[in-house]
Amino acid sequence: MLSVIYVSVADPLLSSADIDAILVTARRNNARDALTGALIYNGHNFMQLLEGPADRVDACLAAIRADERHSGMIEIRRRAIEQRDFADWTMLYEPGLRGHEAEFARLAADGRLDPEFEHMLGNFVALGRRSPPPGGQAGLQ
């Protein structure tokens, strides 16, 4: 099996209806293709962990790259795995991970949440909580 984490820049006009549509499609396709993972949106960027059979992960990533609701997709980690971190979810999603802190704490305590991913996840969520500088844009996205 394969686990891939990527980040991308969300379209600034992205709406909550767009997020809902992404999740409906992802959950349907992931259930069909035996994929699991988590999608995090911090208000500016996406981070997604996708895991499952390597050929299906790569096919899904090709479709994701073509989606115009984001750009600048960069894989930040790709590795072979024996056990899934997110086996319980076809696509876990909660803005800023609010509401899932207990589940992440349980995964980390059970040793199921990769410490590297846990660290990246915390940093990514924290970036979304930053306020833009007074009188200007938030800089790099």
Side-chain angles (χ1 to χ4, degrees), residues 23-37:
L23 293 170
V24 166
T25 301
R27 289 174 176 149
R28 180 189 66 232
N29 293 346
N30 288 357
R32 176 195 69 207
D33 295 335
L35 299 175
T36 55

Side-chain angles (χ1 to χ4, degrees), residues 5 9 28 32 34 43 48-49 53 62-63 74 76 78 87 91-92 97 99 106 108-109 116 119 129 138:
I5 299 172
V9 179
R28 180 189 66 232
R32 176 195 69 207
Q48 182 172 355
L49 178 140
I74 299 172
I76 58 174
R78 172 181 282 260
M91 186 52 55
L92 172 65
L97 300 179
R106 179 179 51 81
E116 182 183 359
H119 181 72
R129 292 185 183 137

Side-chain angles (χ1 to χ4, degrees), residues 13-21:
L13 301 177
L14 196 72
S15 69
S16 60
D18 292 320
I19 297 285
D20 292 342

Side-chain angles (χ1 to χ4, degrees), residues 89 100-113 118 121:
W89 297 283
H100 290 284
E101 293 90 349
E103 289 162 310
F104 281 106
R106 179 179 51 81
L107 286 171
D110 292 348
R112 287 183 50 205
L113 189 59
E118 183 180 7
L121 185 63

Side-chain angles (χ1 to χ4, degrees), residues 61-108:
L61 289 170
I64 291 170
R65 275 187 194 89
D67 191 321
E68 296 181 355
R69 293 171 289 197
H70 71 137
S71 62
M73 184 174 152
I74 299 172
E75 286 186 18
I76 58 174
R77 190 187 74 188
R78 172 181 282 260
R79 66 185 179 114
I81 58 170
E82 293 183 23
Q83 181 176 335
R84 297 173 191 249
D85 287 332
F86 290 87
D88 298 336
W89 297 283
T90 55
M91 186 52 55
L92 172 65
Y93 175 78
E94 189 68 32
L97 300 179
R98 290 180 297 275
H100 290 284
E101 293 90 349
E103 289 162 310
F104 281 106
R106 179 179 51 81
L107 286 171

Side-chain angles (χ1 to χ4, degrees), residues 7 40-42 44-45 47 76 96-97 115-130:
V7 293
I40 301 101
Y41 174 58
N42 70 8
H44 307 287
N45 305 88
M47 176 187 269
I76 58 174
L97 300 179
E116 182 183 359
F117 179 63
E118 183 180 7
H119 181 72
M120 283 189 279
L121 185 63
N123 288 339
F124 184 81
V125 171
L127 284 172
R129 292 185 183 137
R130 288 182 27 194

